[in-house]
């Protein structure tokens, strides 16, 4: 007799006929609609679990609208959609995605974000579906932390001993510790970016930060002045102070170093054609209005992003920016009307009260991101913040270096107003023609004409 194969049976599974009967008895929705089949010996851990593939979902064969979890999820999606102002198309997408994901859901099952991402191949919205799943407490967010990935990439150029200390310092600043409050991610990144040049240099010489001396720090800071010197010193000082307090080094080599006189650069006017190029780059009603708010009303980016519909008083032609109410000029009023029409057409059911909305924030309650606001100006060498600063300087040059006038007109602080008044005074002294040029220069409109700002 020749044996062509061997059949393996595990204790507790019964005979091959019993096993086939057990498998055949499982509902088709469980076996083929994405529900994993787990083989497990009674009383022991699972041997393996098949990956769920929701892209093979067949609505006629697998949909189970009577599943309790699916019923609760669809109700939650309806309530959440009404609260967030979801469009009918988005609500239908989320409902279809929930049918795919939860028709075969069993008590105790959870869904990872990666698994939910499969519905994107079926044309359904992933982020809003995940929001509903998370609302039910069934989401396992397995997405990689982008900050951790960014940090790992930076640490690869450092020697292991130094990289270990830097990683511990970075995570303590980011997440907080027993005596440390969490810092903003942007702040911690800036600290590391400032310290990296020195750390890369020292990694070529040393294996640990405790080998770094004051002479090494002095050598690195030599030749640096002003703000660059201060940034590098602040980053290194934060790192070494933490290592000293944590007992990772014996002494702090950054003590008694001075950042020098950083000073504050006085604002300077933007090049003549900068605003014209910005106008040409802003093609949507939303970004045209944002540009007008910066170029005419000197609104800072954070104030523009936080503007709400209640800050607009069209009947009295007034707008409240960062708590300061000022009149609406003709150009801004026209651009505002165009934006509100486009906003209503794009998001007719949204409950987000912010004046500016994006593809993401149109379906929730957040303000738009800084990246969304600055997107049309990328590559132009100018930002909305610089445009708003230029507007304040232009006012000081045309009206005169009067800090009180600037504070009342734009609602800025006394020190900021004095700074722009000093800059205008110096420019008028060194370049008397600057005031005349500023008074004749206006704000370019979309058609290329000029419109003076409200006084």
């Amino acid at each position: 007799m020749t044996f062509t194969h061997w059949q393996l049976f595990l204790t507790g599974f019964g005979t091959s006929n019993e096993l086939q009967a057990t498998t055949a008895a499982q509902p088709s929705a469980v076996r083929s609609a994405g529900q994993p089949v787990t083989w497990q010996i009674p009383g022991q851990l699972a041997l393996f679990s098949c990956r769920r593939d929701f892209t093979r979902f067949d609505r006629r064969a697998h949909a189970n609208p009577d599943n309790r979890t699916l019923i609760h999820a669809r109700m939650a999606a309806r309530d959440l959609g009404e609260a967030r102002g979801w469009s009918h198309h988005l609500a239908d997408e989320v409902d279809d995605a929930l049918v795919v994901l939860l028709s075969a859901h069993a008590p105790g099952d959870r869904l990872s974000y990666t698994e939910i991402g499969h519905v994107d191949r079926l044309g359904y919205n992933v982020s809003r579906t995940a929001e509903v799943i998370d609302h039910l407490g069934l989401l396992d967010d397995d997405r990689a932390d982008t900050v951790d990935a960014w940090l790992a990439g930076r640490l690869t150029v450092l020697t292991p001993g130094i990289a270990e200390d830097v990683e511990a310092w970075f995570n303590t600043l980011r997440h907080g510790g027993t005596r440390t409050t969490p810092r903003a991610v942007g702040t911690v990144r800036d600290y590391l970016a400032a310290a990296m040049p020195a750390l890369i240099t020292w990694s070529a010489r040393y294996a640990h930060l405790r080998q770094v001396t004051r002479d090494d720090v002095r050598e690195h800071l030599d030749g640096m002045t002003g703000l660059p010197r201060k940034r590098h010193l602040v980053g290194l000082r934060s790192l070494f102070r933490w290592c000293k307090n944590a007992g990772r080094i014996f002494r702090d080599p950054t003590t008694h170093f001075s950042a020098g006189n950083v000073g504050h650069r006085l604002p300077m006017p933007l090049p003549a054609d900068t605003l014209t190029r910005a106008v040409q780059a802003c093609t949507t009603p939303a970004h045209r209005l944002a540009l007008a708010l910066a170029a005419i009303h000197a609104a800072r980016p954070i104030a523009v992003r936080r503007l709400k519909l209640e800050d607009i008083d069209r009947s009295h032609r007034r707008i409240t920016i960062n708590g300061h109410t000022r009149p609406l000029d003709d150009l801004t009023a026209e651009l505002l009307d165009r934006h509100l029409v486009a906003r209503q057409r794009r998001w007719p059911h949204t409950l987000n009260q912010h004046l500016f909305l994006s593809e993401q924030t149109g379906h929730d309650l957040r303000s738009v991101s800084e990246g969304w606001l600055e997107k049309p100006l990328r590559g132009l060498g100018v930002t909305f913040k610089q445009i708003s600063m230029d507007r304040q300087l232009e006012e000081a040059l045309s009206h005169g270096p009067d800090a009180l006038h600037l504070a009342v007109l734009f609602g800025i602080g006394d020190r900021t107003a004095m700074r722009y008044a000093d800059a205008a005074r110096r420019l008028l002294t060194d370049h008397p023609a600057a005031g005349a040029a500023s008074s004749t220069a206006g704000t370019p409109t979309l058609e290329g004409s000029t419109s003076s700002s409200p006084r």
Side-chain angles (χ1 to χ4, degrees):
M1 180 180 294
T2 302
F3 294 95
T4 58
H5 65 276
W6 291 90
Q7 179 70 47
L8 176 64
F9 294 95
L10 300 177
T11 303
F13 274 91
T15 65
S16 60
N17 292 334
E18 294 173 349
L19 180 62
Q20 294 174 1
T22 301
T23 305
Q26 295 181 354
S28 59
V30 173
R31 289 186 286 108
S32 57
Q35 185 69 19
V37 179
T38 302
W39 298 110
Q40 182 176 6
I41 301 175
Q44 298 187 19
L45 297 177
L47 296 178
F48 60 87
S49 179
C50 300
R51 182 181 295 275
R52 292 181 278 200
D53 184 7
F54 293 104
T55 60
R56 301 179 62 184
F57 181 85
D58 187 336
R59 181 176 293 271
R60 291 176 298 178
H62 305 147
N64 180 17
D66 296 328
N67 186 291
R68 287 191 174 184
T69 305
L70 176 59
I71 294 174
H72 293 159
R74 299 175 85 171
M75 294 174 60
R78 183 177 64 251
D79 295 341
L80 197 61
E82 292 177 355
R84 301 292 175 83
W86 290 356
S87 65
H88 296 300
H89 297 292
L90 178 59
D92 291 342
E93 280 189 22
V94 173
D95 186 77
D96 290 341
L98 292 175
V99 173
V100 173
L101 295 171
L102 300 178
S103 285
H105 185 271
D109 286 348
R110 297 179 64 83
L111 291 167
S112 67
Y113 200 96
T114 301
E115 291 173 327
I116 297 175
H118 294 166
V119 301
D120 180 62
R121 296 167 58 184
L122 301 176
Y124 302 142
N125 188 289
V126 174
S127 59
R128 304 306 167 192
T129 303
E131 188 176 355
V132 176
I133 299 296
D134 185 40
H135 181 74
L136 297 175
L138 303 177
L139 176 65
D140 285 330
D141 196 342
D142 60 346
R143 290 174 292 180
D145 192 318
T146 56
V147 177
D148 288 341
W150 177 87
L151 175 61
R154 298 302 185 276
L155 297 181
T156 55
V157 299
L158 305 180
T159 191
I162 294 179
E164 181 182 353
D165 290 340
V166 173
E167 182 178 14
W169 161 71
F170 186 94
N171 288 328
T172 301
L173 289 185
R174 179 188 175 195
H175 301 294
T178 54
R179 296 184 177 181
T180 306
T181 57
R183 302 287 187 91
V185 175
T187 301
V188 185
R189 283 190 175 189
D190 290 342
Y191 280 8
L192 179 58
M196 279 301 294
L199 296 175
I200 294 174
T201 301
W202 296 334
S203 291
R205 308 179 199 168
Y206 308 129
H208 300 280
L209 286 178
R210 56 178 174 268
Q211 298 175 268
V212 179
T213 64
R214 287 180 54 82
D215 291 337
D216 295 321
V217 177
R218 183 180 295 106
E219 178 184 355
H220 176 71
L221 295 177
D222 278 347
M224 292 187 184
T225 58
L227 193 57
R229 177 184 175 91
K230 179 179 180 180
R231 286 174 176 169
H232 281 247
L233 183 57
V234 168
L236 292 173
R237 185 170 287 167
S238 173
L239 170 62
F240 281 103
R241 280 182 177 177
W242 180 87
C243 289
K244 177 67 167 58
N245 294 333
R248 292 175 176 261
I249 60 176
F250 301 111
R251 54 182 175 271
D252 181 0
T254 64
T255 56
H256 306 298
F257 279 97
S258 172
N261 184 16
V262 177
H264 296 283
R265 290 192 305 171
L266 293 176
M268 297 295 293
L270 292 175
D273 64 335
T274 300
L275 199 55
T276 301
R277 291 187 287 112
V279 170
Q280 295 172 351
C282 295
T283 57
T284 65
H287 281 108
R288 289 176 179 177
L289 174 60
L291 180 61
L293 293 174
I296 298 177
H297 301 270
R300 295 297 179 97
I302 185 64
V304 173
R305 291 162 49 203
R306 290 178 177 175
L307 275 174
K308 294 190 175 182
L309 297 178
E310 62 187 23
D311 296 323
I312 309 298
D313 186 357
R314 286 295 289 113
S315 60
H316 296 89
R317 291 176 62 94
R318 303 189 70 83
I319 183 173
T320 302
I321 303 175
N322 200 25
H324 179 70
T325 302
R326 51 184 287 112
L328 276 174
D329 59 290
D330 295 337
L331 174 59
T332 306
E334 180 183 353
L335 294 176
L336 175 62
D337 290 340
R338 294 180 184 179
H339 167 66
L340 291 177
V341 171
R343 183 185 186 276
Q344 176 63 22
R345 184 186 304 114
R346 179 64 180 84
W347 294 281
H349 305 292
T350 184
L351 298 183
N352 193 329
Q353 294 300 303
H354 286 93
L355 178 62
F356 295 99
L357 302 177
S358 67
E359 183 67 26
Q360 289 73 32
T361 64
H363 303 297
D364 55 38
L365 306 178
R366 298 172 298 163
S367 62
V368 295
S369 66
E370 183 179 358
W372 176 90
L373 182 62
E374 299 288 349
K375 184 177 180 179
L377 300 185
R378 291 174 186 170
L380 298 182
V382 68
T383 63
F384 277 95
K385 181 178 180 180
Q386 291 174 322
I387 292 175
S388 67
M389 294 171 62
D390 182 74
R391 170 67 185 97
Q392 296 177 13
L393 180 60
E394 182 268 338
E395 180 67 24
L397 289 172
S398 60
H399 186 275
D402 185 348
L404 179 60
H405 170 75
L406 295 177
V408 172
L409 179 63
F410 298 117
I412 57 179
D414 296 342
R415 296 182 60 181
T416 302
M418 292 173 61
R419 179 166 171 255
Y420 284 96
D422 291 340
R425 188 177 296 107
R426 180 171 300 184
L427 285 171
L428 291 173
T429 301
D430 298 340
H431 307 282
S438 176
S439 61
T440 58
T443 302
T445 65
L446 301 178
E447 293 76 23
S449 61
T450 60
S451 173
S452 59
S453 60
R455 294 292 186 260

